[in-house]
Amino acid sequence: MRSRGRGEVAPGSFRWRAYLLMGLLTLGALGLLYRAVNLQLVDHGFLAKEGDARFSRVLEIAAHRGTITDRYGEPLAVSTPVDSIWVNPAELALANDQIPRLAKALGLDRQELARRVTSNLDREFLYLARHKQPAEAAQIKALGIPGVYTSREYRRYYPAGEVTGHLLGFTNVDDAGQEGLELAFDHWLAGEDGAKRVIQDRYGRIVQDVESIRPARPGKDLVLSIDLRIQYLAYRELKAAIRDQRARAGSVVVIDVASGEILAMVNQPAYNPNDREQIQAATYRNRAATDIFEPGSSIKPFFVAAGLASGKYDAKSIIDTSPGFFKVGAKIFEDEHNLGAIDIATVLAKSSNVGMAHIALTLPPQGIWNTLTRLGFGQVTTSGFPGESAGLLPNYAQWRPIGIVTMSHGYGLSVTPLQLAHAYATVGALGVARPLSFLRVEGDPGGTRSLDEHVCHELLGMLESVVTAEGTGKLAAIPGYRVSGKTGTAEKAIAGGYSTERYMAVFGGVAPETNPRLAAVVVLDEPNVSIAGQHQGGQVAAPVFARVMGGALRLLAVAPDEPVQAPEELPPSRLPDNVRTAALQ
């Protein structure tokens, strides 16, 4: 067989294999080219979406809620940063051996946590714990458990606690207003969360901020009309009275006569909005605005105002109350003693039911109804407080003589403490009904005339006699200040009539009488007669009025009508830290 020399051409089989190899390489190159084109042009959207799903995230930027302050800037409600713990159930399920560690760190039952995770594998987001302190959340994140993440949120904190609980209300776990002023002004206080797109690594750490989708808009701050010093003072005195009298509940409202601003509103029993376990319907309702009651004799000044406005009566008018009782139909109304012929000031000072019956029955029903309506009874105030009651004032067309007399004694109509305080404030403003406001008022508050100025001057003079040594409200006297007010004691309605053991004790009034600055109403619900031994408004509500109003006048530096000894300072040990400094200024 002859061998090939060096110059001989390779046989055809070799060339064929070379061509085949080149062809395969060319096809491979074309396949790669095709695939590259396909990935870049055809499948680009799908692949980009899948990539984003694995590494790109849209994160919310929490916006904090606006701060609520009192009229002097003292914080009443603030939002503090907290962290919430959440998981991606599908990721955590792949590391189910870490669930016991996570459960222990969160204080949860491991079996319950495992059940929650495995039953939500179709979800990418599941809260495990809300509103943890940042340091505590950082410790949980440091465990390095796959699928466990944290998110920044804000939680509402109320520095004054239960002192302002009924007034401010509270927010839910998502920081939305649920009760009180938090609810009334939720549209103002609530912020708008922002959003941004980020790239995260497999451990959830942010590698890069890609873009800002929407900037966070913080909530707006809210400045209230409340004076925290007076609020605390009213809270302290009401709580002491409820304790001493063993009363079921109580309310105090203080209003600035000149502006219509509500300076204080407190209730007992109270609750602490910082403790969510205390947030129950029975405790968080604001009784001063929502609860109605028959006001008893505290309504008498406004029937007298109707008589003065009618022109039939004036400060010199004499009412003959002999023989000490008055019969209307089958019902007999009587006074404790036969007072004989007395002027209207004495009718109020002695709270004469017979005298009020004489006055009320000589007035046209429509005239009485018009006066009471203009003073705000039977309708909600302008305060805007959520759930406020309108009270109950029947139309005069339904009135009968017996009904007129019982209403003049404070029965057959119902009011709220806020309504009653507003009516006294209107008299203190010499007949101008100022719009009630929970916000600090700047400039002229406006108002509508409800009573003639001369009528109010006469009525204030008459009401001053209630607080003198001969009146039923002598315990409401404030050293150095002239006080005008009226006591009220009403039997509570029960099935089949009225109880002789359950009472509403009331005192309402204004001070100083010479130039009224403040109006206040104190209501005690069911002071325990068997334990405390007292139940009348002049006995249990009037002293609270004196202490609250006296302290408030001094805090506001209202000049006394006559020189008095310097009052004792409020004991610092009884003031919370955030109130102490302001209260002693």
Side-chain angles (χ1 to χ4, degrees), residues 181-261:
L181 298 182
E182 290 276 27
L183 174 60
F185 295 98
D186 186 63
H187 63 286
W188 180 268
L189 293 166
E192 182 180 346
D193 290 344
K196 65 178 180 178
R197 190 181 306 279
V198 300
I199 294 178
Q200 295 179 327
D201 63 12
R202 59 179 297 186
Y203 299 108
R205 296 174 298 198
I206 296 177
V207 176
Q208 180 182 358
D209 287 338
V210 178
E211 62 175 330
S212 174
I213 300 175
R214 183 178 63 253
R217 181 186 63 80
K220 301 176 183 177
D221 294 342
L222 190 68
V223 180
L224 300 184
S225 60
I226 298 299
D227 186 328
L228 186 55
R229 303 170 302 171
I230 300 176
Q231 178 80 7
Y232 179 78
L233 178 64
Y235 162 83
R236 185 187 69 183
E237 297 301 337
L238 178 63
K239 188 169 185 176
I242 295 292
R243 180 195 63 227
D244 295 342
Q245 303 301 328
R246 305 296 194 272
R248 189 175 73 90
S251 300
V252 174
V253 179
V254 181
I255 298 175
D256 188 313
V257 167
S259 64
E261 295 170 301

Side-chain angles (χ1 to χ4, degrees), residues 340-418:
I342 56 177
D343 59 17
I344 298 182
T346 305
V347 170
L348 291 173
K350 298 296 184 180
S351 201
S352 170
N353 288 334
V354 175
M356 285 306 306
H358 279 290
I359 295 173
L361 287 178
T362 59
L363 300 177
Q366 185 174 359
I368 299 174
W369 187 86
N370 287 338
T371 297
L372 296 179
T373 301
R374 287 196 297 268
L375 287 168
F377 296 111
Q379 53 198 308
V380 295
T381 70
T382 57
S383 72
F385 196 88
E388 180 184 347
S389 174
L392 177 64
L393 178 63
N395 189 276
Y396 63 89
Q398 305 170 3
W399 293 4
R400 299 293 180 267
I402 185 67
I404 295 174
V405 174
T406 55
M407 279 193 293
S408 72
H409 299 163
Y411 295 93
L413 76 168
S414 298
V415 303
T416 66
L418 183 60

Side-chain angles (χ1 to χ4, degrees), residues 37-346:
V37 171
N38 185 268
L39 292 176
Q40 293 294 325
L41 300 180
V42 180
D43 293 336
H44 174 75
F46 171 77
L47 294 173
K49 181 180 178 181
E50 290 298 308
D52 288 345
R54 287 163 174 78
F55 300 105
S56 177
R57 294 286 187 272
V58 174
L59 301 182
E60 283 194 351
I61 306 173
H64 65 80
R65 194 172 176 84
T67 298
I68 301 178
T69 69
D70 82 338
R71 64 188 303 108
Y72 300 117
E74 193 72 28
L76 302 179
V78 296
S79 290
T80 59
V82 290
D83 287 332
S84 292
I85 311 298
W86 63 276
V87 297
N88 183 325
E91 291 184 34
L92 182 57
L94 296 176
N96 57 8
D97 59 317
Q98 298 293 321
I99 289 180
R101 289 181 63 210
L102 180 60
K104 182 178 180 181
L106 292 173
L108 302 175
D109 181 78
R110 65 176 64 183
Q111 294 182 349
E112 175 62 19
L113 178 57
R115 186 197 64 79
R116 289 182 62 190
V117 172
T118 56
S119 62
N120 289 280
L121 294 178
D122 57 332
R123 299 173 57 181
E124 294 185 353
F125 186 97
L126 177 66
Y127 272 125
L128 293 186
R130 301 291 298 272
H131 296 177
K132 292 286 186 181
Q133 291 299 321
E136 185 178 356
Q139 291 177 354
I140 295 173
K141 187 71 181 298
L143 296 176
I145 300 175
V148 178
Y149 305 94
T150 63
S151 60
R152 175 54 52 91
E153 294 185 301
Y154 289 91
R155 179 178 180 176
R156 211 62 163 159
Y157 174 67
Y158 303 93
E162 66 178 47
V163 175
T164 56
H166 287 110
L167 180 68
L168 299 179
F170 53 88
T171 60
N172 62 12
V173 71
D174 293 316
D175 219 21
Q178 299 297 292
E179 284 290 333
L181 298 182
E182 290 276 27
L183 174 60
F185 295 98
D186 186 63
H187 63 286
W188 180 268
L189 293 166
E192 182 180 346
D193 290 344
K196 65 178 180 178
R197 190 181 306 279
V198 300
I199 294 178
Q200 295 179 327
D201 63 12
R202 59 179 297 186
Y203 299 108
R205 296 174 298 198
I206 296 177
V207 176
Q208 180 182 358
D209 287 338
V210 178
E211 62 175 330
S212 174
I213 300 175
R214 183 178 63 253
R217 181 186 63 80
K220 301 176 183 177
D221 294 342
L222 190 68
V223 180
L224 300 184
S225 60
I226 298 299
D227 186 328
L228 186 55
R229 303 170 302 171
I230 300 176
Q231 178 80 7
Y232 179 78
L233 178 64
Y235 162 83
R236 185 187 69 183
E237 297 301 337
L238 178 63
K239 188 169 185 176
I242 295 292
R243 180 195 63 227
D244 295 342
Q245 303 301 328
R246 305 296 194 272
R248 189 175 73 90
S251 300
V252 174
V253 179
V254 181
I255 298 175
D256 188 313
V257 167
S259 64
E261 295 170 301
I262 299 170
L263 300 181
M265 177 184 283
V266 296
N267 299 277
Q268 286 291 327
Y271 77 103
N272 187 348
N274 296 310
D275 182 2
R276 294 194 176 274
E277 292 184 359
Q278 296 186 28
I279 299 179
Q280 301 175 0
T283 58
Y284 66 62
R285 78 176 188 273
N286 190 339
R287 298 171 184 270
T290 64
D291 285 17
I292 60 175
F293 65 98
E294 291 178 308
S297 296
S298 63
I299 201 71
K300 289 178 179 177
F302 310 112
F303 276 79
V304 170
L308 297 175
S310 71
K312 292 185 177 181
Y313 297 94
D314 57 32
K316 298 180 181 180
S317 298
I318 302 297
I319 308 297
D320 187 3
T321 65
S322 298
F325 62 87
F326 188 83
K327 187 174 182 180
V328 181
K331 177 71 173 177
I332 296 178
F333 300 90
E334 57 184 349
D335 291 335
E336 186 176 356
H337 305 288
N338 180 9
L339 300 175
I342 56 177
D343 59 17
I344 298 182
T346 305

